[in-house]
Amino acid sequence: MRQKLIAGNWKMNASSEQVASLLTELLAGLEPNTAQLAVCPPFPYLSQAKQLLADSPVLLGAQDCSDQEAGAFTGQVAATMLADLGINLVLVGHSERRIYQQETAEEILAKTQQALAAGLTPVVCVGETQAERTASKTEERVVEQLDLLFKELSPADLNKLVIAYEPVWAIGTGLTATPAEAQEVHQLIRQNLAKVSPEAATKVRILYGGSMNANNAAELLSMPDIDGGLIGGASLNAADFLTIYQAAGQ
Ligand code: PGA
């Protein structure tokens, strides 16, 4: 049984005041269940969030890390620094970074390796665009985005991965993949992972992301290969985020 994970990706939103109010509300309404809950605030608020979440079961994630270990890389944040702060996980290769920062497969592999070396759980994001789906290229695109990782990571490291399937056309649009559409891609990812590591295929959690909300979460999360969610917009509302978390657990 894979433990479900619900992670909130706050993206470039919130102020210190909002971090305090959102996390206070979240903790006040939290009824721990069998699933894990995580939030990924922007870098400047990680320390504040860490303090607020101390003694709580809520995990803390960052939205990115450097592909380099340390040194003259102005503006970058090393995975070891995140680990030093007590951060648990880090998003890698989110489609917004692939698009706006032109992140390549090689950089995404290097970031994943840095995260793993620092003891963080990398949440590697993949997904097709609308044009790719229309052209029936979903499978090809998602397999291609994972190819280098599956080739380069050791079986032990593959076991530690979390993968997030986030169709680009569903992110922040209010459009969601149907549970059947999402399940199909999640199953495909797992089958491809099984080719390199049958053990990792049983262990690795594959989250769905893309307009998951309080209304559609339960149905998506009931699919056999959907092991949680990466939530953008709805994670900025404590009540909605808690409803999604409740839908994930027992
Ligand atoms: P969304 O974002 O839930 O707002 O669609 C998901 C994501 O980008 O991780």
Side-chain angles (χ1 to χ4, degrees), residues 21 25-26 45 57 69 84 133 198 239:
S21 59
E25 213 184 313
L26 198 64
Y45 304 121
E69 198 178 329
D84 188 27
R133 177 161 281 264

Side-chain angles (χ1 to χ4, degrees), residues 7 18 32 48 79 108 114 180 182 205 212 222:
Q18 286 165 334
Q48 182 193 2
I108 289 163
Q114 291 295 339
R205 291 175 291 179
M212 190 186 268
S222 72

